[in-house]
Amino acid sequence: MYITTQHTCTLGPSLEPYMDENFISRAFATMGELVLSVKIIRNRLTGIPAGYCFVEFADLATAEKCLHKINGKPLPGATPVGNYITKRSGME
């Protein structure tokens, strides 16, 4: 996540196709932050999401706070990506 203007952050490049504008707004709402608008960037030929978006906040302080909250972390409510190995109890 990067701050691109005074009140807008760029989120990506790891957005999943199921993450629409409502999903992103709700994710920030669960962190207590109000999103003014979300613009998902799409491939011009296919219409498929390109993996990133612009998120607009009310002020720079909110944008910076969100940057620090989720930078390098998954959005709240996101489905984990990747294969994880977990250790079961009783197994060494």
Side-chain angles (χ1 to χ4, degrees):
M1 184 171 185
Y2 305 96
I3 295 179
T4 55
T5 66
Q6 284 193 352
H7 304 120
T8 305
C9 292
T10 303
L11 184 61
S14 58
L15 292 182
E16 297 293 323
Y18 69 87
M19 295 179 178
D20 62 6
E21 289 86 352
N22 290 327
F23 177 90
I24 293 167
S25 292
R26 283 192 315 266
F28 283 101
T30 63
M31 295 186 296
E33 304 302 339
L34 176 65
V35 170
L36 298 181
S37 68
V38 177
K39 171 69 176 161
I40 294 180
I41 306 306
R42 299 182 179 277
N43 181 301
R44 289 182 185 183
L45 299 176
T46 64
I48 296 172
Y52 65 99
C53 69
F54 297 102
V55 182
E56 182 182 7
F57 298 97
D59 54 43
L60 178 61
T62 303
E64 288 178 341
K65 185 169 35 169
C66 289
L67 171 72
H68 294 292
K69 280 184 178 181
I70 69 162
N71 198 20
K73 299 176 188 125
L75 283 172
T79 303
V81 178
N83 297 322
Y84 297 95
I85 299 173
T86 58
K87 184 177 177 182
R88 291 190 215 169
S89 61
M91 305 217 34
E92 302 299 340

